[in-house]
Structures are given as structure tokens and as C-alpha cells.
Amino acid sequence: MNIKYRPLKAFLLAVDTGSFTHAANQLGVTQPSFTALIQDLEEVLGLRLFERTTRSISLTSAGQDFYARVQRPIADLEEAYRSLADLAAVRRGSVALGALPSTALALLPAAVGTLSRAHPALKIRVVEAHNDELMAMLRTNQIEFAVGALAEPVSDLSFTPMAEDCFCAIFPAGHPLGDAPGMLHWRDVLRYDLVLLSQGSNARQQFDRAVRDEVGAPVTALRYDVTNMGTAASMVRQGLGVSVLPRLALPELNLAGLRAAPLCDASARRYIGLLHRRDRSLSPAAQALVAELEIAMENIARQLLPLPPLAGAA
């Protein structure tokens, strides 16, 4: 037995309106087409559903029994369709994303704010964490996607670059680094006491790799190990040392009295992008949020320091 949705809907409308004419108008078809839908349904069922006269219609006993049985399932089916349509249109649903502290600071407020205003019923959960933690949460489905960095490709995660970033030396106005000729390198920063972000952060991981691989680099004079980029900037302002912070976050930090200079070493570069599981597709809500993040990235790119030429580049 092959019963299609449209004849069932025609049947329910006919019962609810008490008229083939009114039901045909609601369904958006001509009355002959509507009558054909009812006849097709009766032929499939092998039963007469309506007693029809030129002026009225009424249900047969079989029609009454059929109406009682199909009314609720069809209503449930239509509700399921509406629910999925709302998800597809991002009118409801939920999305959980993770972000590095620098991307959370620079991109998330604008992107999440815009999407929330457009779709107030949408639930958005944000997790701010280090890069290794973000990848672990992706693998265990705690978040749907993340805005982070990826030093080396991994087989189970997809990475889509959004922008190239670099790390910058942060120092007080009048500091000797400001008078250094040419472009700044890691080795220039390593001569001074340092205020660095804590172990586990992407900035610290990249710094440690660069120092490890830097030929002839002096011993690092780490004095302060902090969690928050704002704390690092405040400590630099007090003359406690030099910091290294991601260029992407600088427009959102209070750098009054400070200077920022991009480092030109290749090891001071990174790509910021979208991370998600290769075996999962992003939901419509996640796709909508990704679109807002891309707009936010374009907007903040106009405020960033120019990327310096790479050391040794022709």
C-alpha cells in the first residue's frame, strides 16, 4: 500500500472544513484536482471515505475510523517537518564551539552577538580553552567546532584557515626594543625579562618551540607566567618585562603606554582557522555562526598591524 502525504492532507482538510471547495482553496489546487486526490486515496484504501451530495459531504463509518487514526500522526509529521525547517533556517537549535583565548577575545563577541540578535531562540555555548584542550573536546563531541590553530595536520580533524597571524613583542614606550634597527626577532626579545602566557597556551607552545630551535639563543629570563593577556599587558606597563602576544588580540587589549612590534621569524607565524571532525558535518546553526566569524575576522583585520616580511625572504 502506497499512501502519499498530499491525499492524506486533502482528506483532513475536507473533514475540517466540511467542504471540498474550501479544502481545495486551502490546499491551493482546483476543485477537480482536489476531488481526484480524494478518489485516489479511496482507491488505495479500497473504501469510500465520504458520502457526497451536490451541497454537502459527510464521513462514512470507515471515513470516521480513518480520520480518528490518521489525524494525530499527520499532525506529528507536520510538526516534525516544521521543527526541521526551523533548524535549517537557524530559527532554533543549539551550537557549542570552542576558541583560543585570543580568538575568543577578538572574534566571538561580535559574531555571537550578531547571530543571537538575528535568532534569539538559538542557544550558543562558548568554551574558551587551550588548543590541545579544544582538539580533545572536538574528539569527544563536547563542542561542534573550534576556532584555533593547527601546527601539524591530524588525520581525524579538518582545518580551514581563516587568517594568518603572528606574535608581537609588547614593551613600554622608550624601551630599547623600540630603537632596534630593522625588524625584531625572537633573539631580540630573549635578552629581556619576560612576561609570558602560561604553559599550555598556543602562544607559549609556539614561543617554547621557537626558543628550542633558535640557534645561539640566550637563556630565557622568564620572570612572570600569567594566564590572561590583559594581565601580561598590565605587567609590561609596570616595567616588569617584555611580553609576546598574538597580533589578533591586540585591538581588544589596553595597550596605553605600550608599543607592539611584530616578530619577523617564520616560527612566529601561525594560521587561525576552523577545526572540526572530518566525520561530522556542521549543523545549520554552526554554519551560520561560521559565516559571522568570517565577517568578524574581515572587520578586525582592518585594525591589525601589518604582517612583517619574513626574515630571509627575498
Side-chain angles (χ1 to χ4, degrees):
M1 185 178 293
N2 182 18
I3 300 179
K4 298 179 181 179
Y5 168 77
R6 198 165 176 81
L8 290 174
K9 184 63 176 177
F11 169 73
L12 293 175
L13 286 174
V15 176
D16 293 342
T17 62
S19 164
F20 278 16
T21 301
H22 293 158
N25 289 336
Q26 289 193 23
L27 196 60
V29 298
T30 62
Q31 186 168 339
S33 296
F34 186 89
T35 300
L37 288 172
I38 298 298
Q39 290 172 343
D40 288 344
L41 179 61
E42 290 177 330
E43 289 177 6
V44 170
L45 294 173
L47 293 168
R48 189 173 181 82
L49 299 174
F50 291 99
E51 298 290 354
R52 298 187 284 272
T53 69
T54 55
R55 293 187 178 183
S56 66
I57 60 171
S58 61
L59 286 172
T60 63
S61 59
Q64 292 173 354
D65 182 67
F66 188 62
Y67 180 76
R69 292 177 182 274
V70 302
Q71 183 182 25
R72 184 68 237 176
I74 294 298
D76 289 343
L77 178 63
E78 290 176 341
E79 175 57 30
Y81 274 112
R82 284 193 293 270
S83 179
L84 289 175
D86 284 346
L87 286 176
V90 200
R91 286 189 290 265
R92 69 171 190 84
S94 63
V95 58
L97 75 149
L100 290 174
S102 57
T103 61
L105 180 66
L107 304 178
L108 261 60
V112 173
T114 300
L115 191 62
S116 294
R117 287 189 291 273
H119 304 286
L122 184 65
K123 297 178 181 178
I124 304 173
R125 184 170 71 90
V126 176
V127 179
E128 185 177 326
H130 296 321
N131 218 60
D132 290 345
E133 296 170 319
L134 294 177
M135 290 193 287
M137 285 188 282
L138 282 170
R139 290 178 172 124
T140 54
N141 295 322
Q142 296 178 63
I143 55 176
E144 189 172 352
F145 74 97
V147 187
L150 191 63
E152 298 177 352
V154 290
S155 60
D156 59 333
L157 298 180
S158 173
F159 179 71
T160 305
M162 295 176 68
E164 188 175 11
D165 195 23
C166 73
F167 289 93
C168 299
I170 309 297
F171 49 88
H175 191 277
L177 280 177
D179 299 324
M183 299 180 294
L184 287 183
H185 298 262
W186 288 116
R187 61 178 176 269
D188 300 316
V189 174
L190 296 176
R191 296 190 177 99
Y192 302 96
D193 289 346
L194 296 174
V195 182
L196 295 181
L197 297 179
S198 59
Q199 291 284 350
S201 68
N202 182 253
R204 182 61 174 273
Q205 288 175 341
Q206 198 148 346
F207 175 87
D208 288 345
R209 281 196 301 268
V211 171
R212 181 191 64 208
D213 299 336
E214 187 83 16
V215 177
V219 175
T220 303
L222 174 62
R223 293 290 300 275
Y224 304 99
D225 195 326
V226 302
T227 301
N228 189 278
M229 287 178 285
T231 303
S234 295
M235 296 183 79
V236 171
R237 190 177 294 109
Q238 293 300 317
L240 298 175
V242 172
S243 190
V244 177
L245 298 177
R247 179 184 70 131
L248 182 62
L250 299 187
E252 301 299 323
L253 294 175
N254 175 15
L255 297 182
L258 303 179
R259 291 188 59 187
L263 300 175
C264 62
D265 302 276
S267 57
R269 295 288 180 92
R270 66 175 182 173
Y271 279 96
I272 295 297
L274 303 171
L275 284 158
H276 68 89
R277 287 178 52 160
R278 290 186 186 276
D279 61 348
R280 298 291 178 90
S281 298
L282 292 182
S283 66
Q287 293 176 36
L289 184 51
V290 165
E292 294 299 339
L293 286 166
E294 290 172 343
I295 293 172
M297 182 68 83
E298 291 176 2
N299 291 336
I300 200 167
R302 304 186 185 101
Q303 308 172 45
L304 298 178
L305 295 171
L307 283 171
L310 289 175

